[in-house]
Amino acid sequence: MSHTQAEVESQPEIWTRVLGAPAELPEAGCNVLGLGCGTSYYVMDSYARRRQALGQGRTRAAIASELADEDPYDVAVLLSRSGTTTDLLPLAERLSERMTTIAITGTPGSPITRVTHRQVVLDFADEVSVVQTRFATSALLLLRASLGEDLGGLPGEAATALAEPLAAEPAEVDHVVFLGTGWTLGLAGEAALKLREAAKFWTESYAVGEYRHGPIACAGPRSLVWSLAPLPPDVAAAVRDTGARLRVASGDPLAELVRVHRLAVAFARYRGLNCDSPEHLTRSVIVDA
Ligand code: F1P
């Protein structure tokens, strides 16, 4: 069994640990900037949209290398499993002079822990695999729990997701489109990234309302359109008209991501790829000064 598969399958147990270990994260009312790269950016985007929608304070997420405006925020939350991603480190130092900075990392003692004011270390969720699965979902679970959401049923939902048949047969699909809206938009981006990273798969992700405005042109009988949010009838009908398969998440979208992880592992195996060490990828992107 690959490390990735073992890490995917450990999610019910790891999520239970996350929910039993509350962390000191931004309180309601303060303004929050979330930062990350790759998977970590998508997690922060989901958190930011969720927090903002729940009325807990102005919240936005930015790709660490793209932060242009530095409007005043009370708190910056920087997510990095490795704690070594170069795009984040000088930024953390700079922001620490102006606001409270909190690092969420899987790696105790990593560089990001030395340039932030507070640290939340999820070392029990860290991974051997380059491709992030349980660390990312654990971070989002922790962040959502800090918003007061009742998430006690999620480890059980993850276990159900692991026990079901695969969402698609690898031989029947060669294109997957993920849709999301609000906080599930970040999840859609992460889901699409997962299949690219683990299986070099052709994937896209869009906001539900955007999909008919052009991207649907690429859909066909070998496409799977997988929505992490409920779909308006017109979008569902338009997808079916293309001949594509359609799947719409019915439970918590974070548990639906576990089904995406399983498909990523299955696609990689079908293509003869080692999803533990994907070509061209490294655990983190470190650039020499
Ligand atoms: C972020 C990240 C990963 C990606 C790749 C390079 O790492 O962009 O999401 O899969 O392996 O690094 P981190 O800052 O969360 O450690």
Side-chain angles (χ1 to χ4, degrees), residues 37-40 79-83 85 88 130 132 197 281-285:
C37 302
T39 287
S40 297
L79 177 62
S80 178
R81 177 182 67 173
S82 63
T85 296
L88 282 171
V130 165
Q132 296 197 29
E197 288 185 318
L281 295 183
T282 48
R283 174 169 160 87
S284 68
V285 177

PDB file of all heavy atoms in Angstrom, residues 37-40 79-83 85 88 130 132 197 281-285, ligand 1:
ATOM      1  N   CYS A  37       0.389  28.362   0.107  1.00  0.00           N
ATOM      2  CA  CYS A  37       0.744  28.085  -1.285  1.00  0.00           C
ATOM      3  C   CYS A  37       0.182  26.716  -1.650  1.00  0.00           C
ATOM      4  O   CYS A  37       0.179  25.805  -0.814  1.00  0.00           O
ATOM      5  CB  CYS A  37       2.260  28.023  -1.455  1.00  0.00           C
ATOM      6  SG  CYS A  37       3.114  29.517  -0.958  1.00  0.00           S
ATOM      7  N   GLY A  38      -0.237  26.550  -2.882  1.00  0.00           N
ATOM      8  CA  GLY A  38      -0.728  25.246  -3.340  1.00  0.00           C
ATOM      9  C   GLY A  38      -1.915  24.808  -2.496  1.00  0.00           C
ATOM     10  O   GLY A  38      -2.852  25.565  -2.221  1.00  0.00           O
ATOM     11  N   THR A  39      -1.856  23.555  -2.063  1.00  0.00           N
ATOM     12  CA  THR A  39      -2.914  23.008  -1.212  1.00  0.00           C
ATOM     13  C   THR A  39      -3.212  23.926  -0.030  1.00  0.00           C
ATOM     14  O   THR A  39      -4.375  24.163   0.324  1.00  0.00           O
ATOM     15  CB  THR A  39      -2.451  21.633  -0.688  1.00  0.00           C
ATOM     16  OG1 THR A  39      -2.519  20.710  -1.765  1.00  0.00           O
ATOM     17  CG2 THR A  39      -3.300  21.139   0.459  1.00  0.00           C
ATOM     18  N   SER A  40      -2.170  24.440   0.585  1.00  0.00           N
ATOM     19  CA  SER A  40      -2.359  25.264   1.790  1.00  0.00           C
ATOM     20  C   SER A  40      -3.119  26.546   1.465  1.00  0.00           C
ATOM     21  O   SER A  40      -3.890  27.051   2.299  1.00  0.00           O
ATOM     22  CB  SER A  40      -1.010  25.572   2.436  1.00  0.00           C
ATOM     23  OG  SER A  40      -0.411  24.360   2.858  1.00  0.00           O
ATOM     24  N   LEU A  79      -0.507  28.923   6.727  1.00  0.00           N
ATOM     25  CA  LEU A  79      -0.579  27.457   6.757  1.00  0.00           C
ATOM     26  C   LEU A  79       0.549  26.870   5.918  1.00  0.00           C
ATOM     27  O   LEU A  79       0.712  27.219   4.750  1.00  0.00           O
ATOM     28  CB  LEU A  79      -1.935  26.999   6.195  1.00  0.00           C
ATOM     29  CG  LEU A  79      -2.144  25.477   6.099  1.00  0.00           C
ATOM     30  CD1 LEU A  79      -2.094  24.812   7.470  1.00  0.00           C
ATOM     31  CD2 LEU A  79      -3.496  25.184   5.420  1.00  0.00           C
ATOM     32  N   SER A  80       1.325  25.977   6.515  1.00  0.00           N
ATOM     33  CA  SER A  80       2.396  25.300   5.774  1.00  0.00           C
ATOM     34  C   SER A  80       2.726  23.988   6.456  1.00  0.00           C
ATOM     35  O   SER A  80       3.261  23.982   7.568  1.00  0.00           O
ATOM     36  CB  SER A  80       3.650  26.192   5.715  1.00  0.00           C
ATOM     37  OG  SER A  80       4.690  25.519   5.052  1.00  0.00           O
ATOM     38  N   ARG A  81       2.402  22.885   5.774  1.00  0.00           N
ATOM     39  CA  ARG A  81       2.717  21.574   6.357  1.00  0.00           C
ATOM     40  C   ARG A  81       4.206  21.473   6.668  1.00  0.00           C
ATOM     41  O   ARG A  81       4.592  21.067   7.764  1.00  0.00           O
ATOM     42  CB  ARG A  81       2.311  20.461   5.376  1.00  0.00           C
ATOM     43  CG  ARG A  81       2.670  19.070   5.856  1.00  0.00           C
ATOM     44  CD  ARG A  81       2.301  18.002   4.842  1.00  0.00           C
ATOM     45  NE  ARG A  81       3.101  18.099   3.618  1.00  0.00           N
ATOM     46  CZ  ARG A  81       3.079  17.218   2.621  1.00  0.00           C
ATOM     47  NH1 ARG A  81       2.261  16.176   2.695  1.00  0.00           N
ATOM     48  NH2 ARG A  81       3.831  17.375   1.543  1.00  0.00           N
ATOM     49  N   SER A  82       5.039  21.850   5.698  1.00  0.00           N
ATOM     50  CA  SER A  82       6.487  21.704   5.863  1.00  0.00           C
ATOM     51  C   SER A  82       7.083  22.773   6.772  1.00  0.00           C
ATOM     52  O   SER A  82       8.100  22.552   7.419  1.00  0.00           O
ATOM     53  CB  SER A  82       7.163  21.818   4.495  1.00  0.00           C
ATOM     54  OG  SER A  82       6.924  23.118   3.965  1.00  0.00           O
ATOM     55  N   GLY A  83       6.474  23.962   6.750  1.00  0.00           N
ATOM     56  CA  GLY A  83       7.047  25.098   7.473  1.00  0.00           C
ATOM     57  C   GLY A  83       8.287  25.652   6.809  1.00  0.00           C
ATOM     58  O   GLY A  83       9.004  26.475   7.391  1.00  0.00           O
ATOM     59  N   THR A  85       8.285  26.546   3.170  1.00  0.00           N
ATOM     60  CA  THR A  85       7.967  27.157   1.872  1.00  0.00           C
ATOM     61  C   THR A  85       8.486  28.599   1.807  1.00  0.00           C
ATOM     62  O   THR A  85       8.096  29.446   2.608  1.00  0.00           O
ATOM     63  CB  THR A  85       6.450  27.087   1.636  1.00  0.00           C
ATOM     64  OG1 THR A  85       6.098  25.705   1.547  1.00  0.00           O
ATOM     65  CG2 THR A  85       6.032  27.796   0.376  1.00  0.00           C
ATOM     66  N   LEU A  88       6.511  31.959   1.932  1.00  0.00           N
ATOM     67  CA  LEU A  88       5.836  32.385   3.164  1.00  0.00           C
ATOM     68  C   LEU A  88       6.765  33.054   4.177  1.00  0.00           C
ATOM     69  O   LEU A  88       6.310  33.861   4.989  1.00  0.00           O
ATOM     70  CB  LEU A  88       5.211  31.165   3.859  1.00  0.00           C
ATOM     71  CG  LEU A  88       3.905  30.636   3.299  1.00  0.00           C
ATOM     72  CD1 LEU A  88       3.554  29.305   3.958  1.00  0.00           C
ATOM     73  CD2 LEU A  88       2.765  31.623   3.525  1.00  0.00           C
ATOM     74  N   VAL A 130       4.435  13.275  -0.687  1.00  0.00           N
ATOM     75  CA  VAL A 130       4.526  14.664  -1.161  1.00  0.00           C
ATOM     76  C   VAL A 130       3.118  15.262  -1.276  1.00  0.00           C
ATOM     77  O   VAL A 130       2.882  16.414  -0.919  1.00  0.00           O
ATOM     78  CB  VAL A 130       5.255  14.704  -2.538  1.00  0.00           C
ATOM     79  CG1 VAL A 130       5.054  16.046  -3.225  1.00  0.00           C
ATOM     80  CG2 VAL A 130       6.734  14.410  -2.356  1.00  0.00           C
ATOM     81  N   GLN A 132      -0.399  16.243  -0.378  1.00  0.00           N
ATOM     82  CA  GLN A 132      -1.086  16.440   0.902  1.00  0.00           C
ATOM     83  C   GLN A 132      -2.517  15.924   0.839  1.00  0.00           C
ATOM     84  O   GLN A 132      -3.270  16.275  -0.056  1.00  0.00           O
ATOM     85  CB  GLN A 132      -1.146  17.928   1.250  1.00  0.00           C
ATOM     86  CG  GLN A 132       0.198  18.570   1.482  1.00  0.00           C
ATOM     87  CD  GLN A 132       0.087  19.902   2.226  1.00  0.00           C
ATOM     88  OE1 GLN A 132      -0.829  20.117   3.013  1.00  0.00           O
ATOM     89  NE2 GLN A 132       1.023  20.795   1.972  1.00  0.00           N
ATOM     90  N   GLU A 197      -1.790  16.340  -9.089  1.00  0.00           N
ATOM     91  CA  GLU A 197      -0.543  15.996  -8.388  1.00  0.00           C
ATOM     92  C   GLU A 197      -0.328  14.483  -8.320  1.00  0.00           C
ATOM     93  O   GLU A 197       0.764  13.992  -8.567  1.00  0.00           O
ATOM     94  CB  GLU A 197      -0.575  16.549  -6.955  1.00  0.00           C
ATOM     95  CG  GLU A 197      -0.438  18.051  -6.863  1.00  0.00           C
ATOM     96  CD  GLU A 197      -0.357  18.503  -5.408  1.00  0.00           C
ATOM     97  OE1 GLU A 197      -1.099  17.987  -4.565  1.00  0.00           O
ATOM     98  OE2 GLU A 197       0.460  19.387  -5.122  1.00  0.00           O
ATOM     99  N   LEU A 281       7.427  17.227  -8.548  1.00  0.00           N
ATOM    100  CA  LEU A 281       6.951  17.852  -7.310  1.00  0.00           C
ATOM    101  C   LEU A 281       7.913  17.572  -6.165  1.00  0.00           C
ATOM    102  O   LEU A 281       8.566  16.541  -6.126  1.00  0.00           O
ATOM    103  CB  LEU A 281       5.562  17.330  -6.919  1.00  0.00           C
ATOM    104  CG  LEU A 281       4.400  17.660  -7.853  1.00  0.00           C
ATOM    105  CD1 LEU A 281       3.100  17.124  -7.270  1.00  0.00           C
ATOM    106  CD2 LEU A 281       4.295  19.151  -8.083  1.00  0.00           C
ATOM    107  N   THR A 282       7.964  18.500  -5.229  1.00  0.00           N
ATOM    108  CA  THR A 282       8.746  18.312  -4.007  1.00  0.00           C
ATOM    109  C   THR A 282       7.827  18.598  -2.825  1.00  0.00           C
ATOM    110  O   THR A 282       6.775  19.212  -2.979  1.00  0.00           O
ATOM    111  CB  THR A 282       9.941  19.290  -3.959  1.00  0.00           C
ATOM    112  OG1 THR A 282       9.457  20.611  -4.270  1.00  0.00           O
ATOM    113  CG2 THR A 282      11.006  18.901  -4.949  1.00  0.00           C
ATOM    114  N   ARG A 283       8.248  18.145  -1.664  1.00  0.00           N
ATOM    115  CA  ARG A 283       7.413  18.323  -0.460  1.00  0.00           C
ATOM    116  C   ARG A 283       7.094  19.799  -0.229  1.00  0.00           C
ATOM    117  O   ARG A 283       6.011  20.165   0.192  1.00  0.00           O
ATOM    118  CB  ARG A 283       8.151  17.745   0.745  1.00  0.00           C
ATOM    119  CG  ARG A 283       7.458  17.981   2.076  1.00  0.00           C
ATOM    120  CD  ARG A 283       8.117  17.139   3.152  1.00  0.00           C
ATOM    121  NE  ARG A 283       7.830  17.631   4.500  1.00  0.00           N
ATOM    122  CZ  ARG A 283       6.755  17.269   5.211  1.00  0.00           C
ATOM    123  NH1 ARG A 283       5.880  16.433   4.728  1.00  0.00           N
ATOM    124  NH2 ARG A 283       6.583  17.735   6.430  1.00  0.00           N
ATOM    125  N   SER A 284       8.052  20.648  -0.502  1.00  0.00           N
ATOM    126  CA  SER A 284       7.776  22.087  -0.447  1.00  0.00           C
ATOM    127  C   SER A 284       8.682  22.759  -1.456  1.00  0.00           C
ATOM    128  O   SER A 284       9.667  22.173  -1.905  1.00  0.00           O
ATOM    129  CB  SER A 284       8.004  22.651   0.967  1.00  0.00           C
ATOM    130  OG  SER A 284       9.372  22.603   1.284  1.00  0.00           O
ATOM    131  N   VAL A 285       8.329  23.985  -1.800  1.00  0.00           N
ATOM    132  CA  VAL A 285       9.129  24.710  -2.779  1.00  0.00           C
ATOM    133  C   VAL A 285      10.057  25.649  -2.013  1.00  0.00           C
ATOM    134  O   VAL A 285       9.618  26.621  -1.383  1.00  0.00           O
ATOM    135  CB  VAL A 285       8.232  25.483  -3.768  1.00  0.00           C
ATOM    136  CG1 VAL A 285       9.088  26.291  -4.748  1.00  0.00           C
ATOM    137  CG2 VAL A 285       7.336  24.501  -4.535  1.00  0.00           C
TER     138      VAL A 285
HETATM  139  C1  F1P B   1       2.789  23.696  -0.082  1.00  0.00           C
HETATM  140  C2  F1P B   1       2.995  23.009  -1.432  1.00  0.00           C
HETATM  141  C3  F1P B   1       2.132  21.766  -1.595  1.00  0.00           C
HETATM  142  C4  F1P B   1       2.321  21.149  -2.945  1.00  0.00           C
HETATM  143  C5  F1P B   1       3.776  20.946  -3.343  1.00  0.00           C
HETATM  144  C6  F1P B   1       4.659  22.079  -2.941  1.00  0.00           C
HETATM  145  O1  F1P B   1       3.531  23.152   0.920  1.00  0.00           O
HETATM  146  O2  F1P B   1       2.668  23.964  -2.411  1.00  0.00           O
HETATM  147  O3  F1P B   1       0.783  22.086  -1.455  1.00  0.00           O
HETATM  148  O4  F1P B   1       1.663  19.916  -2.981  1.00  0.00           O
HETATM  149  O5  F1P B   1       4.253  19.741  -2.843  1.00  0.00           O
HETATM  150  O6  F1P B   1       4.331  22.603  -1.635  1.00  0.00           O
HETATM  151  P1  F1P B   1       3.451  23.647   2.426  1.00  0.00           P
HETATM  152  O7  F1P B   1       3.836  25.098   2.484  1.00  0.00           O
HETATM  153  O8  F1P B   1       2.064  23.426   2.933  1.00  0.00           O
HETATM  154  O9  F1P B   1       4.460  22.780   3.118  1.00  0.00           O
END
